[in-house]
Amino acid sequence: AAGVIQSPRHLIKEKRETATLKCYPIPRHDTVYWYQQGPGQDPQFLISFYEKMQSDKGSIPDRFSAQQFSDYHSELNMSSLELGDSALYFCASSFVTGYTFGSGTRLTVV
Amino acid sequence: SQQGEEDPQALSIQEGENATMNCSYKTSINNLQWYRQNSGRGLVHLILIRSNEREKHSGRLRVTLDTSKKSSSLLITASRAADTASYFCATDEGSGAQKLVFGQGTRLTINP
């Protein structure tokens, strides 16, 4: 069965650069979530989209933005990267209830 | 402090023993889920228990939920070295699709 696809798997960026993470949800899932997990930390909710509209917002810095496109894939854009942005970024999708997480994108800011 | 706090933060046991991890939360929930994460890898869904359920089994896993105490436990029986991972509980506060609030996780080490 198709899972949630995230790309890239790994990303290395320098401070002050911009990064774009992509998420392709399971077909027919109408909600996409983004989470950030710092080293040794629990995943923290960033933002979610339902039917291409932002549905909830968590502790997402103003330097970050996200959107969901007409094909339901979502992109997380991060600008002016800081060392503290180094983390594992997870995307999840759901339909009604039941989450499926992607394998994550590991972002390293140097 | 966070919703979904876990106890203990780290647990080390011998292979074959049972491992119990606990989770507490603060608000009313729709359901509670347990996830497993191998070091730096993805989150694997283990089991979901709804707020109107008290106990649920899946293979070697047993989850309990006490909504009066706002707590849950995950029991792994007959542990194996391959069970070594971090285990997180996550709560869903509302109805329908909602964000998850994760606990800090328990790092479980199974010694052969």
Side-chain angles (χ1 to χ4, degrees), chain B residues 40-102:
Chain B
R41 307 290 291 275
L43 292 161
V44 176
H45 179 261
L46 294 177
I47 196 165
L48 179 150
I49 187 165
R50 302 189 189 283
S51 59
N52 62 353
E53 297 176 312
R54 292 296 166 259
E55 187 170 312
K56 204 162 182 180
H57 297 252
S58 176
R60 293 184 296 113
L61 305 179
R62 183 173 79 99
V63 169
T64 63
L65 179 64
D66 186 335
T67 53
S68 67
K69 296 180 179 177
K70 290 187 167 59
S71 67
S72 174
S73 68
L74 171 67
L75 167 68
I76 302 175
T77 60
S79 62
R80 305 167 182 170
D83 294 330
T84 294
S86 290
Y87 292 82
F88 294 91
C89 72
T91 52
D92 171 346
E93 298 174 6
S95 59
Q98 294 283 337
K99 67 182 181 186
L100 295 180
V101 180
F102 285 84

Side-chain angles (χ1 to χ4, degrees), chain A residues 33 35 37 42 96 99 106, chain B residues 2 37 40 97-100 103:
Chain A
Y33 309 79
Y35 292 83
Q37 185 180 26
D42 57 291
V96 184
Y99 265 62
R106 179 168 295 285
Chain B
Q2 292 187 22
Q37 185 180 36
Q98 294 283 337
K99 67 182 181 186
L100 295 180

Side-chain angles (χ1 to χ4, degrees), chain A residues 78-99:
Chain A
M78 298 174 281
S79 62
S80 303
L81 287 169
E82 302 173 356
L83 296 178
D85 296 329
S86 295
L88 200 50
Y89 290 83
F90 287 108
C91 171
S93 71
S94 71
F95 177 70
V96 184
T97 58
Y99 265 62

